[in-house]
Amino acid sequence: MAVPDTTELEHELTSALGQWAASSVAVGSVLKTLGTMTDSPFLKGFAGQTLGWGAIDGAIAGFGKWRQSQTDVLQAMGDESASPDERISDERKAQAKADKLYKLLAFNAALDVGYVAAGVATMLAAGPLSRRTSRPASEWMGIGAGVAVQGGFLWALDATFARRVAQISAESVHSWHDSRTQAIERLKHLITTAHSQTDSE
């Protein structure tokens, strides 16, 4: 059975999230400066969300990278001369890991849609929110836009990698079925050959 190895995908996902986090912090810093210079409530609101989400995403990416490094060390210390039973166990663990990652990404993608909706709702409710708080409506517009942009990117990221994980799992299943079919055909051939030899005797 082919093992659905998602290790490389996890590294790619963490790297992409880290790059987005760094970009968000950089862009947020620039926009915050511009917002202060121009006294733009919209830019201030947008910059605040961009900086905040960038910091959170960066922390998540950093933790993910640390966990992956620990996993890589443990795998490097593993015994390559594993028994057949141990290899089967590893294959099952790999499949379970792929399934877990897919469910996590799908769940996150659903949350991301909620973030986008919350951002849009904030923009639509900018007027009432302004009347209830000391912040101008344009700042609430910036806050909502910032949330929507961050949620939109995270949705694209999570949905893309969820699809790739599902594709890897599907390919491993197809590979297993192909191997099983080939094994059955070889067994049939051996049985036919054995019968032929018996009949000739």
Side-chain angles (χ1 to χ4, degrees):
M1 179 178 177
V3 180
D5 188 6
T6 58
T7 302
E8 184 176 347
L9 277 184
E10 289 181 276
H11 283 290
E12 288 184 34
L13 176 61
T14 302
S15 177
L17 183 61
Q19 291 174 7
W20 173 255
S23 299
S24 294
V25 171
V27 171
S29 299
V30 173
L31 292 179
K32 183 178 180 180
T33 301
L34 290 175
T36 301
M37 292 175 60
T38 60
D39 195 23
S40 169
F42 179 88
L43 287 180
K44 290 178 181 178
F46 190 91
Q49 290 300 311
T50 305
L51 284 169
W53 283 75
I56 294 172
D57 290 341
I60 294 173
F63 178 72
K65 190 171 184 179
W66 175 80
R67 285 192 62 184
Q68 289 166 5
S69 66
Q70 299 301 308
T71 302
D72 292 342
V73 170
L74 292 175
Q75 289 178 344
M77 295 171 61
D79 183 11
E80 295 182 356
S81 58
S83 66
D85 289 341
E86 289 173 333
R87 285 195 293 269
I88 292 174
S89 177
D90 289 341
E91 290 169 357
R92 289 175 177 171
K93 289 179 181 178
Q95 184 62 59
K97 179 182 177 182
D99 293 341
K100 183 178 180 180
L101 179 59
Y102 174 79
K103 291 177 181 178
L104 176 62
L105 290 170
F107 177 75
N108 285 344
L111 286 180
D112 298 334
V113 173
Y115 297 146
V116 174
V120 173
T122 300
M123 295 175 69
L124 294 175
L129 287 172
S130 176
R131 289 190 290 271
R132 292 181 180 181
T133 64
S134 59
R135 294 179 175 179
S138 56
E139 184 174 352
W140 282 110
M141 289 286 290
I143 291 172
V147 173
V149 168
Q150 293 291 326
F153 172 82
L154 292 176
W155 174 84
L157 185 69
D158 290 329
T160 297
F161 277 88
R163 178 181 56 80
R164 292 178 64 183
V165 171
Q167 185 177 7
I168 287 178
S169 296
E171 288 174 352
S172 69
V173 171
H174 290 320
S175 177
W176 179 78
H177 281 300
D178 291 342
S179 300
R180 182 172 178 269
T181 301
Q182 292 174 4
I184 292 174
E185 291 300 326
R186 285 196 296 269
L187 180 60
K188 288 181 179 179
H189 176 71
L190 290 174
I191 293 174
T192 302
T193 302
H195 279 303
S196 299
Q197 291 177 350
T198 302
D199 293 340
S200 63
E201 293 176 357

